[in-house]
């Protein structure tokens, strides 16, 4: 929450929280009429009403957690399962059904509190790993509300994420959002990879096509309130030493005594992900490797107490105490101690003051979603001096390449980098920091929040447009009315994905009796011409529909067969190119398990539906690249369909073939239904008054959208009932 609640002797005190998210969201809170729902941290059976009244004044609503919730949900599933797993500490991960149940229960509590406060709400922004299931819970109850979700920690690679038994529920929970934000592109791509592998949804760059809607995924690196840090730093320099913190006073006293001393600052929450032990050991190595600095460099290490209810954090505390003790024992002299270690939180001004004073910041997390301390350190520099040493495992390293970037597991590299930082000329420090400061100032936390919310608005607009295309009962009635008035109608129907679902092997997607009945009923009406228009080969369609009374168009418009007639080529074409291209495709089949070649009379198709989804996608990109140069001087084109790459003669498409059919006789009504982008050719060539229907939620030029092939069948059944 943006405020902290403290209860002392029956009094309730509410003070603003400091730190990244709270300050960031504060600016958002002020721009909108908004409500902040969260856990206040109050568990005790205190006077609830008083807490609620105090929070309401601050625009906050408390989700009440019991002691059991805190233990099983917060310290439990959130911090003993998700936190370690998402930070690649799988040795600490606990899989415990009771904790998982508590996680679901508390996410539901949040959903209930949201539901109680939904009046006038059109946007919800959900934050972080404690609430991964909440987007879906809210979406189910309020499908029209726009939901954004931001994950503040890393999203791990699929190989790690897959080990969690509840992985599918978690991914589905997150997909309840309309926009999902991550700090970096890496987390985004790991998430996409899990979606692809676990749920098999189609992904188009950064959009996931769910059966009923599109989810957008993007990265928004979180910034800080740059001006606040910078201005506080300038202000604090005006204060006399008497008003400074004890730590700062001590630093200054020491500098007076030993002016050559260099201070290295290390600040984090005490957390195993932050890499405190390797930092200490690297510092120890530095002192051993460069003994000339033993009496000249001091590491000021501040660790903020955190999650003390979780075992690993207590163990970590003892381990840090021990290592600090050992190094200090080894290198201390009567007057000097190399590590000054403080286990406490600091007031904001004092924190900024320390950032400002120390020449070097050493930030070495093993994994960190972003790491705001790195940004705060740079923002608090007022004379341009200072060197930031930053772990490449922190999301912040992606934007702060002017810092000295290290691998937190490479102690020798860290030790050498400390030396490099000490020796760095002032001009170089200033040059690097000027670039860093400029970037942090521009992409500050306000910009981060507004970018996210603007993106959410765009998603919302697109959704509204997409919703406007839904084939509603009212639009169906309108189509039906025109249908009844028309004396001659032509229905163009794609097959796979439109009249039937996809199967791993296309041969298995045979028509069933229900489909035959629908099509027979429609084509039995002399006012109708039913045209099945598909990318399939003519042998398959001959076998399935050869003796039916429908017109068949196959291979995207190469062959046409009227009911009772023979197959005819729509235009004469040449297939002598196939041998050369086939051998290229065979090379891809050999290297992509599960993929195969389908041969049609005038095209070759490489299918990868059964392959590993990511390998398939990569190979498809490679193959397209290779084919593009191969077919440059040939009259061929490359089509990318649903998990297929097809090479065929240029200038043949469903749209052109459809126009051929329409030339025969004036038509009163045209209805065209298709799911693939090859059907977009059909939609675009048809006259404006044609009724075009897209199956699925992706972008289309069609006039209407339906969800799936079942809905198409329902609609066709309705048509078949009319005369
Ligand atoms: P954290 O893991 O908490 O955040 P970080 O981003 O560094 O990590 O933020 C820590 C905050 O605590 C900073 O704003 C800092 O000023 C404050 N702080 C640190 N030491 C302090 C002290 N001694 N006294 C007072 N305040 C102190 C999670 C993720 C990060 C991600 C953020 C934001 O783990 O990776 O950057 O959320 O998304």
């Amino acid at each position: 929450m943006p405020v902290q609640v403290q209860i002392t002797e029956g009094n309730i005190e509410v003070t603003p929280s400091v730190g990244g998210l709270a300050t960031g969201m504060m600016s958002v809170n002020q721009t909108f009429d908004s409500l902040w729902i969260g856990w206040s941290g109050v568990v005790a059976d205190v006077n609830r009403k008083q807490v609620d009244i105090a929070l309401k004044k601050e625009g906050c609503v408390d989700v009440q957690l019991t002691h059991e919730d805190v233990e099983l949900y917060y310290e439990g599933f959130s911090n003993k399962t998700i936190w370690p797993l998402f930070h690649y500490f799988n040795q600490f991960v606990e899989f415990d059904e009771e904790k998982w149940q508590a996680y679901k229960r508390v996410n539901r509590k949040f959903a209930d509190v949201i539901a109680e406060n939904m009046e006038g709400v059109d946007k919800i922004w959900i934050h972080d790993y404690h609430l991964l299931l909440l987007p879906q819970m809210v979406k189910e109850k309020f499908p029209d509300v726009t939901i954004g979700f931001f994950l503040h920690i890393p999203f791990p690679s699929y190989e790690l994420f897959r080990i969690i038994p509840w992985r599918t529920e978690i991914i589905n929970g997150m997909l309840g959002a309309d926009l999902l934000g991550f700090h970096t592109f890496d987390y985004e791509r790991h998430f996409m990879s899990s979606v692809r592998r676990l749920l098999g949804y189609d992904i188009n760059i950064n959009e996931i096509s769910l059966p009923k809607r599109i989810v957008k995924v993007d990265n928004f690196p979180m910034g800080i309130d740059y001006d606040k840090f910078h201005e506080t730093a300038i202000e604090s320099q005006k204060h006399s030493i008497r008003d400074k913190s004890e730590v700062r006073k001590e630093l200054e006293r020491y500098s007076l005594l030993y002016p050559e001393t260099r201070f290295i600052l290390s600040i984090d929450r005490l957390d195993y992900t932050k890499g405190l032990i390797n930092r200490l050991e690297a510092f120890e190595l530095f002192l051993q490797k460069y003994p000339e600095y033993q009496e000249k460099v001091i590491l000021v290490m501040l660790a903020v107490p955190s999650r003390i209810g979780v075992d690993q954090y207590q163990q970590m505390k003892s381990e840090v105490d021990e290592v600090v003790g050992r190094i200090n024992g080894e290198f201390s002299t009567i007057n000097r101690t190399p590590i000054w270690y403080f286990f406490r939180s600091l007031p904001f001004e004092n924190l900024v003051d320390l950032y400002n004073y120390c020449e070097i910041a050493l930030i070495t997390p093993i994994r960190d979603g972003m790491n705001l301390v790195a940004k705060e350190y740079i923002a608090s520099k007022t004379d341009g001096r200072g060197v930031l040493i930053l772990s490449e495992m922190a999301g912040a390293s992606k934007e702060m390449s002017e810092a000295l970037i290290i691998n937190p597991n490479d102690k020798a590299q860290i030790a050498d980098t400390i030396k490099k930082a000490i020796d760095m000329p002032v001009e170089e420090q200033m040059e690097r920091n000027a670039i860093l400061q400029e970037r942090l100032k521009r992409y500050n936390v306000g910009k981060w929040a507004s970018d996210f919310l603007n993106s959410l608005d765009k998603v919302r607009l697109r959704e509204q447009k997409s919703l406007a295309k839904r084939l509603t009962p009212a639009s169906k009635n309108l189509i039906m009315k025109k249908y009844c008035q028309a004396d001659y109608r032509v229905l163009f129907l794609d097959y796979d994905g439109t009249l039937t679902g996809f199967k791993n092997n296309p041969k298995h997607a045979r028509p069933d009796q229900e489909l035959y009945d629908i099509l027979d009923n429609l084509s039995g009406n002399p006012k109708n011409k039913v045209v099945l228009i598909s990318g399939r080969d003519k042998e398959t369609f001959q076998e399935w529909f050869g003796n039916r009374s429908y017109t068949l168009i196959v291979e995207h418009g190469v062959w046409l067969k009227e009911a009772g007639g023979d197959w005819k080529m729509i235009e004469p074409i040449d297939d002598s190119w196939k041998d050369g291209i086939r051998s290229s495709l065979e090379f891809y089949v050999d290297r992509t398990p599960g993929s195969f070649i389908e041969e049609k009379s005038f095209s070759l198709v490489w299918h990868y539906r059964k392959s590993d989804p990511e390998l398939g996608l990569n190979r498809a990109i490679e193959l397209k690249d290779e084919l593009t140069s191969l077919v440059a001087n040939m009259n061929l084109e490359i089509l990318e369909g649903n998990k297929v790459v097809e090479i065929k003669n240029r200038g043949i498409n469903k749209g052109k073939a459809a126009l051929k059919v329409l030339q025969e006789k004036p038509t009163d009504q045209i209805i065209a239904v298709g799911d693939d982008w090859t059907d977009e050719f059909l939609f675009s060539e048809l006259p404006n008054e044609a009724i075009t229907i897209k199956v699925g939620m992706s972008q289309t030029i069609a006039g209407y959208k339906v969800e799936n092939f079942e809905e198409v069948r329902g609609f066709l059944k309705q048509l078949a009932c009319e005369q």
Side-chain angles (χ1 to χ4, degrees), residues 152 183 267 269 274 304 344 346 368-372 376:
H152 289 263
H183 280 305
I267 293 195
R269 272 188 310 102
K274 301 286 180 184
V304 190
R344 72 183 76 137
L346 278 189
D368 210 338
M370 173 52 71
N371 194 295
L372 298 177
E376 294 168 0

Side-chain angles (χ1 to χ4, degrees), residues 18-21 23 83 87 128-129 150-154 183 187 222-224 229 266-269 271 273-274 302-307 342-348 351 354-355 363 367-374 376 394-396 448:
V18 280
L21 182 62
T23 36
W83 177 270
H87 284 89
D128 228 1
Y129 66 100
F150 190 84
L151 186 69
H152 289 263
I153 63 173
H183 280 305
Y187 310 154
M222 186 175 179
I224 54 163
F229 279 90
S266 142
I267 293 195
D268 337 68
R269 272 188 310 102
D271 194 302
T273 62
K274 301 286 180 184
L302 268 113
V304 190
S306 161
R307 301 173 198 168
F342 306 89
F343 182 54
R344 72 183 76 137
S345 181
L346 278 189
F348 179 71
L351 187 75
L354 266 185
Y355 284 144
I363 302 172
R367 289 279 163 184
D368 210 338
M370 173 52 71
N371 194 295
L372 298 177
V373 170
E376 294 168 0
W448 167 78

Side-chain angles (χ1 to χ4, degrees), residues 515-529:
L515 182 59
Y516 281 131
D517 290 346
I518 295 171
L519 297 175
D520 287 347
N521 279 341
L522 278 171
S523 64
N525 185 333
K527 291 182 182 173
N528 289 345
K529 183 180 183 91

